[in-house]
Amino acid sequence: MTLRRPFAALISLAACLVASACDSSPTRDPAQATPELAALRPAAPVDGSYGALLSADDVRDIAARIERREEPWTTAFRALLARADRALDAKPESVTFQGDSGHLFFTEPPYCGWSRRDGGPDCRDGQINPDADRGDYLAANRLGQQTRHLAIAYVLTGEPRYADKAVELIRTWMLDSATYMEPRLSNWQSWIELYITIPSAIYAVDLLRDAPNWRDGELAAAMDWIRAFSGDARKLSHENNFENWRLVLLSTAGATLGDQGLLDEAFARFRAIIPDQIDTDGTMIEEIGRTKSLSYSLYALNAMMITAEVARRRGIDLYRWRTDDGRGLDMAMAYHAPYAIDPTNWPYPQMGPVRASDNMAMFELAYAVYGDPVYLRAVEAWGRPMDEIRVLGPTTLTHSRRE
């Protein structure tokens, strides 16, 4: 992969965008280019073979918008660089660093174990037990977010330090003989926790496939790890949002591996579950009975949006696919958008508040795909830049509507 790397200008640009240090005026609008800013160029790959969720063409277009100081990309880029710079100081994560499960991922169900704490019912939907051992899950979550932020920063800037750090984190989690996670699922709680965390690290591997930072054989070994892990997940199937997130794992793995059979399987399963998941009015059948039914409905839809985005990039439209009786992702998104704008109108149980991190960033992607202003209103209700915390990351930067 050939890179343009004006490092001095790039370092100045990063300082400007992260610290707003290019102008001493505290009231300056950061969206307005100044002469010194206008001369800077964020480095970007001229070509690259990545493309599971972001392509080299996307990166060049986004970089050009940042160069022109267009919003919302400039502010979103600033936010990404801040996260990526923090990730440069991150300690590597490993399942071997906590507990005694060796190389196997270990976790405890977050909604259970309450009887040991207070003598009441043991499992309580929507109520996280603070005593549950979730060390490996939290580690996997940090791994996914940090490697993704670093990898996106790398393809947008060309700075090797971002790729160096991302590869180091991936090496520790997947490859090193002393610290690797065995590439398989363990107990039933591990299913969902790994479905929602590992795809982000897979996304990072895809973005880094052409980076010069891998040691001999490491990229192939990372691909083997992804192949083995997704192969284990292929043996399972679920109801409710577990299945939606399993398909995110299978589709991101299939796209990264170039495994058409795995992609075909994930996309066929996507179509097959719609009658069981989406009702004729657009509600999410498996989620509206939950104690946090809006949060979990959006959670399930978010997964479907990500799988549909993987498919779109391969010429398959799952965004608008419908059953014979009219059920599909597009009508479910349209049903839920008004409740994302004002969750107080939601007619089903919702214990506790809905937060921006509760999958609201998918409406940025929805606006890019469908163009319906209702999705833009949902985005504006929560504020940009929007970050999809599980897989896509800085959605406003990478997947907002570009016209």
Side-chain angles (χ1 to χ4, degrees), residues 332-382:
M333 289 294 294
Y335 174 85
H336 287 84
Y339 302 113
I341 296 169
D342 186 358
T344 63
N345 291 327
W346 179 248
Y348 299 99
Q350 175 61 34
M351 180 177 65
V354 175
R355 301 165 299 176
S357 59
D358 285 348
N359 310 284
M360 293 302 175
M362 70 177 174
F363 291 102
E364 186 83 85
L365 180 56
Y367 182 57
V369 171
Y370 299 119
D372 190 323
V374 70
Y375 300 124
L376 180 58
R377 291 198 295 274
V379 169
E380 292 170 343
W382 292 94

Side-chain angles (χ1 to χ4, degrees), residues 238-282:
H238 314 283
E239 298 177 354
N240 79 5
N241 60 72
F242 276 45
E243 186 68 351
N244 302 26
W245 286 101
R246 185 180 77 95
L247 298 184
V248 172
L249 170 66
L250 296 187
S251 60
T252 54
T256 299
L257 295 168
D259 186 335
Q260 190 60 48
L262 184 54
L263 287 168
D264 291 344
E265 178 182 328
F267 300 155
R269 181 63 179 158
F270 179 101
R271 299 182 187 97
I273 66 174
I274 285 179
D276 297 322
Q277 295 232 2
I278 300 175
D279 213 336
T280 53
D281 64 353

Side-chain angles (χ1 to χ4, degrees), residues 171-202:
R171 178 184 299 123
T172 303
W173 187 273
M174 297 183 184
L175 306 178
D176 189 275
S177 61
T179 58
Y180 75 94
M181 184 193 107
E182 189 173 339
R184 66 182 180 91
L185 300 156
S186 51
N187 62 16
W188 65 268
Q189 181 61 29
S190 77
W191 301 341
I192 187 60
E193 291 183 355
L194 290 171
Y195 295 160
I196 66 175
T197 55
I198 295 303
S200 189
I202 294 173

Side-chain angles (χ1 to χ4, degrees), residues 101-116:
S101 61
H103 293 274
L104 194 64
F105 183 93
F106 176 81
T107 188
E108 291 183 338
Y111 296 161
C112 295
W114 282 101
S115 61
R116 299 192 303 270

